[in-house]
């Protein structure tokens, strides 16, 4: 599409003539060049610039967490010590988990892509609270800085779950890391609150609740979890910090405390946190599958309601992490059944995505390749989730590499696939540049194959009884550990390819034009990259539904499950 063309997202809005569009572009520069000083970036309240700053830091933390992962895999190449001692290994997997979960996966899609495209999707000039949005970034960085300082100065060897009573007695530095995570929680709450208010109050005329893009629905459900669940983990981390510093004894059995109480409080937040990571991923994929299938989303309302269903049921399943903690058989059964109900809502999404692809005019671009990987990881990982929700099976698999592999498949695999799909899908919107499609597909192949090669051996290790978090292991497990490390190397190579061609594209990529994917998504109505206030002229109106590729009055298009 011609970059100077004023054609909107294929007829969603009336088009202006090319001359007016050219003048408007000249008078309203893109957000990237509207103020080029360091101060103009650091003090900006533009949601798009804040999203880019989040992107830089989140990618940095992703790199750090990935380096820790590779060091862990290298250490496990041999049954005994390879490159580090046992305490260093304990600290390394704690660092990996802490950085990846709290600093990458939880904020990755909402803070970057939610911040960037949600106001564009709603026809708004910004989020509801722009200054709070900027504050959330600096709160996130303050918490990350304190946590990383604590990890470097004394380390932390508790694992990312901080289980008591070990976390209250270890000689490593616990308090700064816990308090850093507590601070990061405020950033998550602020972002969720901002998105909820933005969706309720800043929709353009014509955008009713059931004309919201599905990514907005996913962000709304995620934000509800962030606002309701994050205070629980925040207060718990403060209590554990006090336990570690002042020995209150709330979780210490030697002082009459109950360590299982910690698990209840921790997983009441941390299982909904799983959906803070994966629900935005579902939203990204709903946008991607419609665009590259050139087809209306199959079962729009079912997909929207299923996001709310996952968010609601997610608060009632925490006990499946505690099947071996001594809870009653009845409680375990109830938690298992509720967990399987989450699988029903996820299956609704998968069914509708497949229905969208069915008989669609599929354009197999890089984001769609990641959708295919995402679909596999979600189905395979989801099926193993149903398995570990079955008490009799989980007793065998609990605390083994099977759980590690399951978590990485359904959480890390799905989140990373969606993050990369979003990065490639919205790259032209964010920067106005295109990337090399061939290299994008090559990198996606390395990443999808590498991910499978890394974690399928770990399913087998867990089934054979290999415990997680162990520094040494019997020699009979070595072949599978070597295979897992080889897969991690493929995965790392894929990320290096992406870093190279996207960096090159930022400097030398061709102009993308306004809507290179010919998407019907609302966010593509504005220019690419957008001007500072998102739209030139009056606020747009939205007479059509999102993702409308076929007029339902002229063709029979399924609209429900």
């Amino acid at each position: 599409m011609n970059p100077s063309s004023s054609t909107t997202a294929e007829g969603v809005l009336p088009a202006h003539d090319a001359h007016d569009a050219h003048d408007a572009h000249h008078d309203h520069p893109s957000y990237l060049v509207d103020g080029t000083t360091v101060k103009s970036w650091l003090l900006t309240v533009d949601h798009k610039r804040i999203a880019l700053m989040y992107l830089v830091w989140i990618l940095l933390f992703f790199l750090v967490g990935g380096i820790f992962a590779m060091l862990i895999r290298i250490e496990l190449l041999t049954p005994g010590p390879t490159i580090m001692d046992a305490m260093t290994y304990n600290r390394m997997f704690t660092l990996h988990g802490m950085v990846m979960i709290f600093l990458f996966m939880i904020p990755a899609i909402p803070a970057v892509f939610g911040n960037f495209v949600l106001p564009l999707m709603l026809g708004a000039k910004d989020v509801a609270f722009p200054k709070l949005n900027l504050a959330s970034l600096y709160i996130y960085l303050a918490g990350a800085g304190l946590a990383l300082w604590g990890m470097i100065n004394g380390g932390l060897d508790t694992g990312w779950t901080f289980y008591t009573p070990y976390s209250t007695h270890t000689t490593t530095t616990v308090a700064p890391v816990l308090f850093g995570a507590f601070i990061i929680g405020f950033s998550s709450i602020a972002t969720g609150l901002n998105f909820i208010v933005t969706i309720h109050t800043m929709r353009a005329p014509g955008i009713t609740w059931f004309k919201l893009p599905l990514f907005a629905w996913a962000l709304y459900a995620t934000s509800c979890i962030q606002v309701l669940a994050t205070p629980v983990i925040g207060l718990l981390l403060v209590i554990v910090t006090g336990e570690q510093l002042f020995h209150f004894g709330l979780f210490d059995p030697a002082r009459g405390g109950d360590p299982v109480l910690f698990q209840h409080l921790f997983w009441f937040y941390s299982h909904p946190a799983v959906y803070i990571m994966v629900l935005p991923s579902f939203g990204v994929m709903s946008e991607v599958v419609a665009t590259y299938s050139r087809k209306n989303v199959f079962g729009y309302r079912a997909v929207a309601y299923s996001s709310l269903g996952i968010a609601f049921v997610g608060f009632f399943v925490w006990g499946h992490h505690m099947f071996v903690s001594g809870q009653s058989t009845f409680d375990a059964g109830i938690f298992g059944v509720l967990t399987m109900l989450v699988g029903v809502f996820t299956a609704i999404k998968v069914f509708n995505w497949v229905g969208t692809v069915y008989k669609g005019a599929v354009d197999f671009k890089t984001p769609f390749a990641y959708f295919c990987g995402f679909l596999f990881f979600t189905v395979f990982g989801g099926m193993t989730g149903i398995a570990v929700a079955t008490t009799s099976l989980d007793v065998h698999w609990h605390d083994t590499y099977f759980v590690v592999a399951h978590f990485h498949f359904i959480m890390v695999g799905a989140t990373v696939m969606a993050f990369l799909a979003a990065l490639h899908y919205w790259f032209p919107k964010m920067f106005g540049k295109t990337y090399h499609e061939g290299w994008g597909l090559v990198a996606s192949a390395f990443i999808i194959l590498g991910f499978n090669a890394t974690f399928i051996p770990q399913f087998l290790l867990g089934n054979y009884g290999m415990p997680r978090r162990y520094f040494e292991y019997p020699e009979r497990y070595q072949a599978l550990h070597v295979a897992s490390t080889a897969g991690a190397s493929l995965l790392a190579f894929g990320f290096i390819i992406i870093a190279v061609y996207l960096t090159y594209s930022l400097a030398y990529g061709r102009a993308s034009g306004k809507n290179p994917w010919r998407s019907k998504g609302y966010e593509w109505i504005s220019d690419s990259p957008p001007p500072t206030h998102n739209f030139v002229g009056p606020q747009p109106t939205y007479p059509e539904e999102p993702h409308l590729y076929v007029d339902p009055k002229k063709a029979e298009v399924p609209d429900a499950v």
Side-chain angles (χ1 to χ4, degrees):
M1 187 176 290
N2 188 333
S4 64
S5 171
S6 61
T7 304
T8 58
E10 300 198 337
V12 177
L13 289 173
H16 304 287
D17 62 72
H19 181 268
D20 289 344
H22 182 272
D23 287 345
H25 184 74
H26 178 75
D27 295 335
H28 300 271
S30 82
Y31 77 99
L32 289 169
V33 297
D34 189 9
T36 56
T37 64
V38 173
K39 181 180 178 181
S40 71
W41 278 87
L42 295 181
L43 299 181
T44 185
V45 290
D46 183 354
H47 67 99
K48 300 180 292 298
R49 288 193 165 196
I50 293 169
L52 284 199
M53 290 192 287
Y54 261 120
L55 177 63
V56 170
W57 284 105
I58 282 171
L59 288 176
L60 176 63
F61 292 133
F62 183 59
L63 173 63
V64 170
I67 290 171
F68 293 145
M70 286 307 302
L71 291 173
I72 292 168
R73 291 310 325 160
I74 292 170
E75 169 55 39
L76 293 172
L77 277 172
T78 62
T82 307
I83 59 171
M84 62 184 79
D85 59 27
M87 178 56 79
T88 303
Y89 175 79
N90 286 354
R91 288 171 171 166
M92 202 61 66
F93 72 68
T94 302
L95 283 163
H96 167 67
M98 172 76 186
V99 170
M100 282 299 201
I101 290 171
F102 291 104
L103 301 183
F104 173 68
M105 287 199 298
I106 287 177
I109 294 176
V112 178
F113 303 108
N115 251 327
F116 197 99
V117 304
L118 180 62
L120 294 169
M121 287 179 165
L122 301 180
K125 292 188 175 182
D126 212 308
V127 292
F129 306 115
K131 291 182 179 178
L132 181 64
N133 198 20
L134 180 63
S136 73
L137 170 64
Y138 289 117
I139 293 169
Y140 167 78
L141 292 177
L146 181 59
L148 291 174
W149 178 86
M151 292 178 187
I152 295 168
N153 290 273
L156 181 69
D157 67 339
T158 63
W160 75 274
T161 53
F162 316 120
Y163 267 15
T164 58
Y166 186 75
S167 61
T168 58
H169 288 79
T170 176
T171 56
T172 57
T173 307
V174 174
V177 180
L178 292 178
F179 201 68
F182 170 72
I183 293 171
I184 293 168
F186 281 97
S187 173
S188 185
I189 293 169
T191 300
L193 181 65
N194 220 338
F195 287 174
I196 290 172
V197 177
T198 301
I199 292 171
H200 271 276
T201 66
M202 301 192 69
R203 304 193 306 274
I207 301 184
T208 60
W209 278 100
F210 289 105
K211 285 174 62 178
L212 278 177
L214 287 169
F215 184 55
W217 272 107
L219 289 176
Y220 186 80
T222 303
S223 299
C224 291
I225 300 173
Q226 288 175 297
V227 171
L228 294 174
T230 307
V232 177
I233 189 71
L235 292 172
L236 179 63
L237 294 176
V238 170
I239 293 171
V240 176
T241 303
E243 287 273 288
Q244 216 267 342
L245 295 176
F246 307 113
H247 308 293
F248 294 146
L250 189 63
F251 303 123
D252 187 352
R255 290 182 169 84
D258 183 4
V260 177
L261 175 61
F262 172 88
Q263 294 186 37
H264 279 288
L265 294 172
F266 180 84
W267 288 115
F268 180 79
Y269 161 77
S270 293
H271 196 83
V274 166
Y275 306 119
I276 293 176
M277 302 177 223
V278 81
L279 270 173
S281 304
F282 291 160
V284 169
M285 290 308 171
S286 295
E287 301 294 324
V288 166
V289 71
T291 294
Y292 296 102
S293 299
R294 312 299 305 159
K295 212 177 144 194
N296 293 357
V297 173
F298 185 93
Y300 167 91
R301 292 200 176 204
V303 177
Y305 281 135
S306 65
S307 293
L308 299 179
I310 289 171
F312 178 74
V313 176
F315 281 97
F316 302 100
V317 301
W318 78 89
H320 68 223
H321 294 273
M322 302 169 61
F323 282 158
V324 298
S325 67
Q327 65 186 358
S328 71
T329 303
F330 177 80
D331 288 344
I334 292 298
F335 280 123
V337 170
L338 288 171
T339 302
M340 294 177 191
L341 185 57
V342 176
V344 173
F345 290 120
T346 306
I348 289 171
K349 290 185 180 293
V350 170
F351 177 82
N352 284 283
W353 291 328
V354 173
T356 303
V357 175
Y358 179 65
K359 291 189 177 180
V362 174
D363 188 10
F364 202 94
K365 301 292 188 183
T366 302
F368 192 82
Y370 287 115
F371 165 75
C372 294
F374 175 90
L375 205 60
F376 175 75
F377 292 134
T378 301
V379 172
F380 193 104
M383 290 171 64
T384 60
I386 297 298
V388 296
T390 305
T391 313
S392 56
L393 295 174
D394 188 67
V395 168
H396 172 65
W397 285 326
H398 189 83
D399 262 342
T400 71
Y401 264 86
F402 193 95
V403 176
V404 175
H406 158 70
F407 177 85
H408 281 81
F409 247 68
I410 193 63
M411 292 311 314
V412 186
T415 302
V416 170
M417 290 297 108
F419 180 81
L420 293 175
L423 183 61
H424 288 81
Y425 179 58
W426 283 309
F427 188 86
K429 172 57 61 181
M430 299 171 81
F431 303 105
K433 298 289 185 72
T434 58
Y435 54 85
H436 193 284
E437 190 63 45
W439 281 114
L441 291 172
V442 168
S444 68
F446 271 106
I447 287 173
I448 293 169
L449 292 174
F451 209 94
N452 280 286
T454 302
F455 294 106
I456 288 177
Q458 294 185 23
F459 279 116
L460 299 175
L461 282 167
N463 209 40
Y464 292 148
M466 170 73 195
R468 62 178 174 177
R469 299 181 173 180
Y470 270 43
F471 172 66
E472 296 183 89
Y473 56 85
E475 288 188 10
R476 67 179 181 274
Y477 297 138
Q478 184 175 9
L480 289 171
H481 274 296
V482 170
S484 184
T485 301
S489 302
L490 284 177
L491 194 58
F493 186 63
F495 284 119
I496 291 170
I497 295 174
I498 292 175
V500 170
Y501 71 72
L502 287 186
T503 302
Y504 179 86
S505 298
L506 286 175
Y508 305 107
R510 293 185 297 105
S512 64
K514 188 172 185 176
N515 187 359
W517 311 126
R518 297 181 298 117
S519 172
K520 294 297 183 73
Y522 289 165
E523 72 274 22
W524 296 97
I525 291 171
S526 66
D527 290 332
S528 300
T532 301
H533 297 295
N534 294 343
F535 303 96
V536 176
Q539 187 180 31
T541 56
Y542 296 78
E544 295 182 353
E545 298 176 7
H547 323 295
L548 188 64
Y549 291 91
V550 179
D551 186 347
K553 296 178 182 178
K554 297 179 180 178
E556 185 177 347
V557 179
D559 61 358
V561 175

